[in-house]
Amino acid sequence: MDIDEAISGRRSVREYTAQPVDERAIRRLIDAAVRAPNAVNQQPWTFTVVRDPGVLDRISHDAKAHMLATMPPSPNADHFRSLLNDPNFQIFYRAPVLILISALAQGPWIIEDCALAAQNLMLAAHAAGLGTCWIGFAQSFLNTSDGKKALGVPDAWAPVAPIIVGHPKAAPPPVARKEPVVRWVG
Ligand SMILES: Cc1cc2nc3c(=O)[nH]c(=O)nc-3n(C[C@H](O)[C@H](O)[C@H](O)COP(=O)(O)O)c2cc1C
């Protein structure tokens, strides 16, 4: 698959088959992630691979409660609240794998570094026939002490990008993009 196909064909996948993702495939995704540009070549990222469905269920439950208790007002708040109050909604869509990209320590560019690694990982997954979705709903809980404990993540680490991975049930339809605002100077 060429780069244009990978970029334009990738979609957030929210329905997965029960098929596990093999370890070699996961390692290839991490290998793509660490090729990302990163500030001062610090490569601050770490990868926590979670394949235990019981752990994912528990984190989903606790992350939903945490979001409901702490969510700031926003235009999407009502929609989020009704999703998070639905007992059948699992924030990880029952994907077989979660890869949490965290930084080893706080620093001025860790969000950028880990997000670029995440994008590489998601594009590589798509090129390999796998689906992914960034799960922002997990972020605030995973950044608490209880959230880190739930995954055995050291307290000093900073979770940035929770990415689910699995075999897509079907190819999701394209999601429209707005016309970009572009200003030319010179
Ligand atoms: C930072 C971030 C957080 C996101 N959080 C969620 C989430 O919690 N749940 C979800 O279903 N999708 C989540 N998404 C996926 C977006 O909804 C998706 O990327 C967007 O709708 C565009 O669709 P596409 O990825 O298929 O192009 C998130 C994406 C990003 C970049």
Side-chain angles (χ1 to χ4, degrees), residues 10-12 14 93 133-137 175 177:
R10 183 214 54 83
R11 293 269 70 80
S12 292
R14 299 183 176 87
Y93 302 101
C133 185
W134 181 313
I135 303 298
F137 274 163
V175 175
R177 290 305 196 246

Side-chain angles (χ1 to χ4, degrees), residues 91-107:
I91 64 169
F92 302 118
Y93 302 101
R94 299 190 168 79
V97 183
L98 168 72
I99 302 179
L100 173 64
I101 306 180
S102 311
L104 276 166
Q106 294 294 340

Side-chain angles (χ1 to χ4, degrees), residues 26-103:
I26 295 173
R27 288 188 184 278
R28 277 198 295 273
L29 301 186
I30 294 172
D31 198 46
V34 303
R35 313 271 151 200
N38 63 97
V40 208
N41 199 23
Q42 290 299 290
Q43 304 176 46
W45 37 59
T46 65
F47 301 86
T48 302
V49 180
V50 189
R51 294 180 292 182
D52 180 330
V55 170
L56 292 176
D57 262 341
R58 276 196 299 282
I59 293 177
S60 171
H61 175 272
D62 292 352
K64 285 165 72 179
H66 183 78
M67 278 283 288
L68 283 167
T70 60
M71 201 166 52
S74 83
N76 293 317
D78 285 349
H79 172 59
F80 285 173
R81 212 168 280 286
S82 77
L83 260 181
L84 295 166
N85 274 314
D86 176 353
N88 294 318
F89 175 63
Q90 207 246 32
I91 64 169
F92 302 118
Y93 302 101
R94 299 190 168 79
V97 183
L98 168 72
I99 302 179
L100 173 64
I101 306 180
S102 311

